[in-house]
Amino acid sequence: MGRLFGTDGVRGVANADLTAEMALGLSVAAAHVLAEAGTFEGHRPTAVVGRDPRASGEFLEAAVVAGLASAGVDVLRVGVLPTPAVAYLTGALGADLGVMLSASHNAMPDNGIKFFARGGHKLADELEDRIEAVYDGHRHGEPWDRPTGAGVGRVREYKEGFDKYVAHLVGVLPNRLDGLKIVLDEAHGAAARVSPEAFARAGAEIVTIGAEPDGLNINDGCGSTHLDLLKSAVVQHGADFGIAHDGDADRCLAVDHTGAEVDGDQILAVLALAMRERGALRSDTVVATVMSNLGFKLALEREGLKLVQTAVGDRYVLEEMKQHGYALGGEQSGHVIILDHATTGDGTLTGLMLAARVAQSGRTLRELASVMERLPQVLINVPDVDRSRVKTSGELAAAVADAERELGETGRVLLRPSGTEPLVRVMVEAADIEQARSVAGRLADVVKSALG
């Protein structure tokens, strides 16, 4: 069996790749592994279980709850809430385990399972590997002790989770949002109720789109992966700006009053300056991945801030932040982590903090986002190559060195092998888009020649 866990839990087509049997089995395995790791410390464990509105989440939630209860874990069902809400509630309620059913920005047929440890933190790789091993053992007949009688887990609804999470979001804001008109695109997803409620409680006038989930329309032509509707709505309603989430609301992208996109790098830059002003940006450092635009790095340098870069994936950003105590990090995709108030990316929190900066500064989002200039970025996928030799090919190293000399200080090259497919991604940034295209095309040819 190949590794089930990716960088963000287990995902696949619901009822094909990700079945009810798998959801139940993984939940049982997670309970056993965390018990063996001492997480439960001899007490009766509790788990928080939530989901996004996908139709498949209904039967997968039932399977997860059944698995946990059969393993002796009490379950608090919080219903449809964002991923960061489940993480927050896991910590706030002192639960031993959190489980979120969502495939984030993926299309409706997909779904996924993400586990959170005590405190609302993502599981370490070694725990995920152990869960897989135990799950595989159970599938092949390894017996396990099943509690009976009073030992089985009890299940109850925890309807207070919605208000508790919204109160947390509004409570951490540095200032209110009175006077702002904001369009919210909820992607027909998990934040369809949470986000409008939080922005309204904070004082903003809101217009909502994509806020009528029916189980089938999540991410369908709306949300952070489809910004055209939001751009039109912002201009149509004369709003100050717009906020877009993805299906499980762990991402946030924005649109200024003219309809221009404000991406995750720009949001990070705006929040970094706001946090420094409040004395909340520890070590004057922001953490981002190697895929961040070069313009972001140049902007931070100009403002006297430091940038630490990690491998692609929010889990690597989070690991770096926790290890060194940094307060702000994220990805160009809008996955922003504000570690003082969240243990994972939180799109609603990010949008609220961005709005708070607009309200406090008296400047438009367009003005604030202009702190950085996005350099043109060209990405070419080169298929059918030996991605394992990217770092060892002398021919490729020489070509990259020549390209970087040609681009100078305002350009860069990044070669990134795919983690799952036989392809290499060639990314080139430069102030001149035609130069970026030319360099990327030549490097793609070298990659094909050297690794094909």
Side-chain angles (χ1 to χ4, degrees), residues 18-33:
L18 179 58
T19 63
E21 294 87 348
M22 179 183 287
L24 190 150
L26 285 172
S27 300
V28 170
H32 290 172
V33 168

Side-chain angles (χ1 to χ4, degrees), residues 239-305:
D240 292 290
F241 59 93
I243 295 292
H245 301 308
D246 59 338
D248 70 336
D250 62 355
R251 296 188 187 192
C252 169
L253 291 180
V255 168
D256 70 25
H257 70 283
T258 71
E261 179 181 342
V262 178
D263 71 11
D265 287 339
Q266 292 170 294
I267 291 171
L268 279 170
V270 172
L271 294 184
L273 295 178
M275 289 173 65
R276 180 175 67 176
E277 199 173 280
R278 300 197 308 271
L281 189 69
R282 289 189 289 278
S283 302
D284 285 346
T285 298
V286 182
V287 182
T289 76
V290 294
M291 292 299 288
S292 288
N293 193 278
L294 179 59
F296 176 59
K297 178 181 179 182
L298 297 176
L300 292 188
E301 290 176 351
R302 187 173 60 249
E303 296 294 333
L305 300 178

